[in-house]
Amino acid sequence: MKDIYCLAIESSCDETSMSIIKNGTEEIATVTNTQIDIHKEFGGVVPEVASRSHIENITIVLSELLEKSHMKIDDIDIIGVTYGPGLIGSLLIGLQCAKTISLVTNKPLIPVHHIKGHIYANNLEKRLTFPLIALVVSGGHTELVYMKEDYSFEKIGGTLDDAIGEAYDKVAKICGLDYPGGPIVDKLAKLGKDTYDLPYPLNDDSYNFSFSGIKSAVVNLVHNEKQRGNNIRINDICTSFQNRCIEVLTKKTMKALKEYKVNNLVLAGGVAANSYLREKLTKECQKEKINFSYPSMKYCTDNAAMIGAAAYYAYKKGIVANLELNAKAVVDLYNEK
Ligand code: KG4
Ligand code: ZN
C-alpha cells in the first residue's frame, strides 16, 4: 500500500505547530512555536495576542518544517488541520493556511477535532489496540470515551461544568502561581501534605465529572484564610486539591474499564502530563492487568503531530472537507456536524 504523508497544522490555542506524519504512526518532523512566554505576563492566553502571533509565525513554521523534514510540499498526500474546538481567531489562521495549501496542491483537506488529535497522540507511541477507553483530560475537556475501532468515539461520561485543566489553572491563579498553572500545582503537590479538608469532586456512581465545587472550595479557603490573616500553605493546598481530583478520575476510569469489559486504557490531553495521574493509573492498571499507555511529554501539550496521526484515520474513514470548512470554537466530540 502506498505510504500516506500528512502535513498537519495545529493552532487552536497558543502553539503554532506543524508536522509531517507518515501513515498515522511515524513522525517525520514537527516544528512548534509556543507563545507561553508572551501570555505569561497576562496570567493566561489573550486571544487577540494569540492570533496575531499565529499570523506572524505560521509561514516561518512551515518553511522550517519543510527544511527539517527534507520534503517538498508536493511530497505531501493529505493536509490535516484542527478546525475546532479552540480560540476562533487562532483556529482561523491554521485553517486558512491548510485551505490555501490544499487549494494550491489539490490535495485532500482533513478536518480534525482537537481532542481526537489528543487521543491519537498515543498512536505515535504505540499503535492503538481496540476496544479501548480514553480518559481525556485537558484545559477544555474531561471525558471518558469508548472506542471500538479507529475513529469511532462513544461517550461514557464527561464533565458537567469545568474541565480538569481549567480547575488546575484556577487553583494556581488563586494561589498566586504562574501560568500555566497545572504543571506548577503538580510540582508543588509533591512537596506538600494532604491537610486541607477539600470536597471530592462528584464522587458518585456516575461517569460524570464536576470540578466547579472543588475549585470554589479552594477559592473560598484562600479568601477566608487571607481575611483572617492566616498563613496559606500553598503546597498543602496543591496536594489536597490534586489528591481529591486524581482519586475520583482514577476511580471512575477503573470502574468504566470493568463495566465495559475493556482491557486497554489511553490517557490524553494536556493534563495527561500530570505525574500523579500517570502514577495512580499505572498502579491500578497493573493490578487489574489493563494495558495502559500515555503520551510522552512532547505529545501531551498541543502539537501538530497528534493532528497528523488522527487525520490519517479520519481520511481512511472518508472524512474529507471542502474549502468551505470553517473554524468552530465549540465542536461536539461525538457529533461534529
Ligand atoms: O490539552 P491542553 O493544551 O488544553 C486543551 O486542549 O484544552 O491542556 C492544557 C491544560 C492546562 O490547563 C494546563 O494547566 C494543564 O493542561 N496541564 C497540567 C499539567 N501539565 C499541563 N495539569 C496538571 N498537571 C500537569 N502536569
Ligand atoms: Zn489541547
Side-chain angles (χ1 to χ4, degrees):
M1 213 171 66
K2 184 191 172 304
D3 289 328
I4 303 280
Y5 289 87
C6 176
L7 170 69
I9 305 176
E10 156 64 40
S11 70
S12 65
C13 190
D14 57 349
E15 329 276 348
T16 318
S17 184
M18 287 199 204
S19 194
I20 296 173
I21 300 295
K22 182 180 167 186
N23 299 333
T25 52
E26 193 184 324
E27 182 182 15
I28 305 298
T30 297
V31 175
T32 301
N33 178 74
T34 177
Q35 306 171 8
I36 283 189
D37 287 340
I38 302 174
H39 298 291
K40 227 177 199 147
E41 64 175 296
F42 304 105
V45 177
V46 183
E48 290 79 3
V49 176
S51 30
R52 179 158 295 273
S53 174
H54 284 304
I55 293 173
E56 286 166 1
N57 286 296
I58 200 147
T59 49
I60 301 170
V61 169
L62 177 60
S63 319
E64 283 181 13
L65 177 72
L66 293 174
E67 199 175 312
K68 192 172 169 184
S69 62
H70 305 292
M71 288 179 78
K72 298 185 297 300
I73 210 90
D74 287 337
D75 301 328
I76 301 298
D77 301 292
I78 58 175
I79 297 130
V81 63
T82 308
Y83 76 103
L87 300 171
I88 196 77
S90 292
L91 288 163
L92 281 168
I93 314 303
L95 181 60
Q96 197 56 39
C97 177
K99 280 159 84 166
T100 308
I101 297 170
S102 170
L103 176 69
V104 170
T105 60
N106 203 23
K107 300 282 162 70
L109 178 67
I110 317 298
V112 178
H113 188 293
H114 180 75
I115 292 300
K116 294 182 180 174
H118 272 302
I119 293 174
Y120 270 90
N122 286 282
N123 203 64
L124 295 163
E125 313 276 2
K126 196 171 137 271
R127 182 74 182 97
L128 297 179
T129 314
F130 301 100
L132 66 77
I133 285 178
L135 173 63
V136 179
V137 279
S138 77
H141 286 74
T142 316
E143 298 273 329
L144 277 167
V145 184
Y146 175 79
M147 292 179 72
K148 70 172 185 305
E149 58 185 27
D150 267 313
Y151 235 72
S152 148
F153 306 89
E154 288 169 45
K155 185 174 182 125
I156 298 175
T159 186
L160 304 173
D161 42 53
D162 298 347
I164 176 79
E166 211 178 326
Y168 263 89
D169 291 339
K170 181 71 188 181
V171 165
K173 202 165 190 173
I174 197 80
C175 290
L177 305 172
D178 234 343
Y179 165 84
I184 305 172
V185 172
D186 184 11
K187 212 159 119 194
L188 297 185
K190 289 195 185 113
L191 308 173
K193 290 199 192 77
D194 190 340
T195 56
Y196 284 106
D197 186 21
L198 294 174
Y200 280 93
L202 197 61
N203 193 19
D204 63 3
D205 286 337
S206 78
Y207 292 117
N208 290 325
F209 300 100
S210 166
F211 296 98
S212 62
I214 190 166
K215 185 184 83 177
S216 304
V218 174
V219 171
N220 293 337
L221 171 75
V222 171
H223 185 71
N224 291 340
E225 294 291 72
K226 268 189 188 160
Q227 274 199 333
R228 290 189 192 117
N230 289 344
N231 181 29
I232 301 163
R233 300 182 312 277
I234 302 287
N235 294 355
D236 292 355
I237 292 182
C238 292
T239 311
S240 309
F241 167 77
Q242 174 150 292
N243 282 0
R244 281 331 152 268
C245 293
I246 304 300
E247 194 159 315
V248 172
L249 280 170
T250 307
K251 186 186 113 176
K252 293 195 174 187
T253 304
M254 297 314 294
K255 181 173 156 56
L257 286 159
K258 204 170 202 172
E259 190 181 318
Y260 283 73
K261 297 187 174 53
V262 168
N263 279 325
N264 303 295
L265 172 68
V266 301
L267 190 58
V271 186
N274 187 272
S275 58
Y276 189 48
L277 182 58
R278 288 167 175 238
E279 185 190 314
K280 271 283 257 191
L281 285 173
T282 302
K283 250 189 223 156
E284 291 302 315
C285 287
Q286 265 168 4
K287 247 195 265 169
E288 301 299 326
K289 301 199 169 33
I290 304 283
N291 303 313
F292 173 48
S293 63
Y294 49 77
S296 56
M297 287 298 186
K298 67 172 178 172
Y299 295 139
C300 285
T301 44
D302 289 348
N303 65 86
M306 66 186 198
I307 303 302
Y312 173 79
Y313 296 96
Y315 176 62
K316 284 183 76 173
K317 279 243 158 153
I319 300 171
V320 177
N322 62 28
L323 294 176
E324 280 169 25
L325 176 67
N326 211 345
K328 284 188 184 171
V330 180
V331 196
D332 190 327
L333 179 61
Y334 310 99
N335 181 15
E336 292 192 45
K337 291 283 165 281

